[in-house]
Amino acid sequence: MAEQRQDKAALVSETRRRFEAEYLPDKSDKYDSRDVERLQQDDKWIENYLIWRHDVVDDTLKMIDESFQWRKEYTVNDLTESVIPKWLFESGSLFLHGYDKEGYKLFWFRVKHHIRDPKQQLEKKKLVAFWLEHYAKRDHGKPLTVVFDMSETGISHIDLDFVRFIVNCFTDYYPNFLTKIVIFEMPWIMNAAFKIVKGWLGPDAISMLKFTNKSDVQEYISGEYLPPHMGGTDSFKYSYPPLVDDDFQTPLCENGPITSEDEHESKEEIDADTKETGELNETQNLNQKKMNSVEQISKSEETDKTEVKPKNAKKALTTFKGSLLHISPAEELYFGSKETGEKKCLIVLTNVTKNVVAFKVRTTAPEKYRVKPSNSSCEPGTSLDIIVSLHGGFAASLQDRFLIMAAEMDQPSGAGVPELTQFWKEVPRTKVMEHRLRCHVVESSKPFSLTLKENAFNIPAKTNEDLHIQLTHLLQINKRLQEQIDRCLWFQQLSIVLSLLSVTVVAFCFYLMYTQRS
């Protein structure tokens, strides 16, 4: 493994050196200086180019040259939502939404909403570039799955030039950015057209084409991210504005918005997070005492002996067993509707490594939720509770998602906010464990183990922290009482011994007196 990394590093250095020597002097005016600067600093970007060109440096350099010229031609670095005509977003032909079964983002092309028009072609191509760049910057080049939804399409929707542009974006301009192309219900009349598309893809990418219909599309995408007309249950309806995307952002903590993972972090934000982290550290010892009970729960789940469930619960409490953290619940957070007023949920993280694990929580609806803590660390072998609560008058939605990110830290003990901020800036993407949770809205009762609620007498519900503090306090009182009882028993035993000794001495004295008189 070490040798492979060294070989890859050598190829990266050679590619960078040759690009600067062979291409940059003559074509610097054809490149965006921001792309050149990124190439000089971003090894991962060059690695993706090398992977896409099978580590052949000559072919990699040609791809970099072509993609850089294309990026400047389409002003990719300057494409923003305000630059693209509003009607293009409103058409709903292109958008990001959901994930495939391997966890890759879905890039949808709803072909029935696309009408071929040469006058609008450039703007439509820029819309494609906007979405790809928007996602690439946000998720650091994590690959996409493209979905061509061709249901209800006909000859008027066939636009080979536009399709070729989309294909070329992945084959020539965005390296190692495509996992597969899922084509849903392609009309027979387009068979000849897609034979041409196969030629554009080349032999390596042809295997990425997946022709599907209602009966087999769920081999690649689960029903929760498929609309009803594709046999799924996703109630998502496209609309604009705002920009549609499952963009995981920093949620609210108890003290308001936290942006500690952002590049520019204000002192006030650091102070707020420091206060929160301080409160967390005070409860670290309490969480250590919970470990035995957490292990018992895990064992019972492993042997499938968890039989007690609330009457109307749809799922038992489950645990996602990741490489760094065990996360409970495994899939869904249960919230009540506006009528039930149940607005709090609990996420339990258990560190199963021998190192400190840093974690942060993001959500697709940061304006709705308060999360405490949202950015902290978990000691080896301990568990930690995260409270997720709805803010103000907001209600949970089935479209809301939470992302838990975790990575091992080298330092022996927990870190403060500045250390965590720097850590997340430097940690490689490949070392970050990610797990997603979706929201489930129930009208009446739901798994009691997942929800913190107010009781029937409107007494504010106690948080898990409060309960643990009270439990610890009771244990301490019990310990003091036990010590007092032990001391009392000891004094009692000592008193008995002394009494017996006194009686013996007195009896002996009487005995001596009796014998002397005799």
Side-chain angles (χ1 to χ4, degrees), residues 8 10-20 22-23 27 31 39 42-69 171-176:
K8 183 65 72 173
L11 286 173
V12 169
S13 298
E14 181 185 352
T15 303
R16 184 179 284 128
R17 177 184 58 79
R18 286 186 57 184
F19 180 79
E20 292 175 354
E22 300 173 17
Y23 287 84
K27 297 185 177 182
Y31 304 146
L39 192 78
D42 193 344
D43 290 352
K44 182 63 178 177
W45 202 21
I46 299 177
E47 284 184 20
N48 284 335
Y49 278 107
L50 286 165
I51 291 171
W52 211 235
R53 289 297 180 260
H54 306 289
D55 289 340
V56 178
V57 176
D58 287 339
D59 293 345
T60 301
L61 289 169
K62 290 178 183 177
M63 182 178 183
I64 294 174
D65 174 47
E66 292 175 3
S67 65
F68 275 25
Q69 291 190 53
T171 58
D172 298 335
Y173 309 139
Y174 283 88
N176 200 30

Side-chain angles (χ1 to χ4, degrees), residues 478-494:
N478 182 69
K479 184 179 179 181
R480 287 197 295 269
L481 289 173
Q482 187 64 45
E483 290 173 351
Q484 291 176 0
I485 292 172
D486 291 340
R487 283 197 296 270
C488 290
L489 289 173
W490 185 83
F491 279 116
Q492 185 182 39
Q493 291 171 354
L494 180 61

Side-chain angles (χ1 to χ4, degrees), residues 499-509:
S499 298
L500 290 173
L501 184 60
S502 300
V503 171
T504 303
V505 171
V506 170
F508 183 70
C509 290

Side-chain angles (χ1 to χ4, degrees), residues 92-93 95 97 106 108-113 147-153 182-186 212-218 221-238:
S93 59
F95 57 89
H97 174 68
L106 297 178
W108 292 83
F109 179 25
R110 299 292 303 279
V111 181
K112 73 174 184 178
H113 296 307
V147 182
F148 280 89
D149 180 5
M150 305 187 74
S151 57
E152 302 178 38
T153 58
V182 178
I183 302 170
F184 179 76
E185 289 190 350
M186 186 181 73
T212 64
N213 51 41
K214 246 185 186 181
S215 63
D216 56 9
V217 68
Q218 294 196 34
I221 306 169
S222 61
E224 67 173 306
Y225 290 120
L226 290 174
H229 75 271
M230 295 176 73
T233 58
D234 191 355
S235 58
F236 167 77
K237 300 292 184 183
Y238 180 87

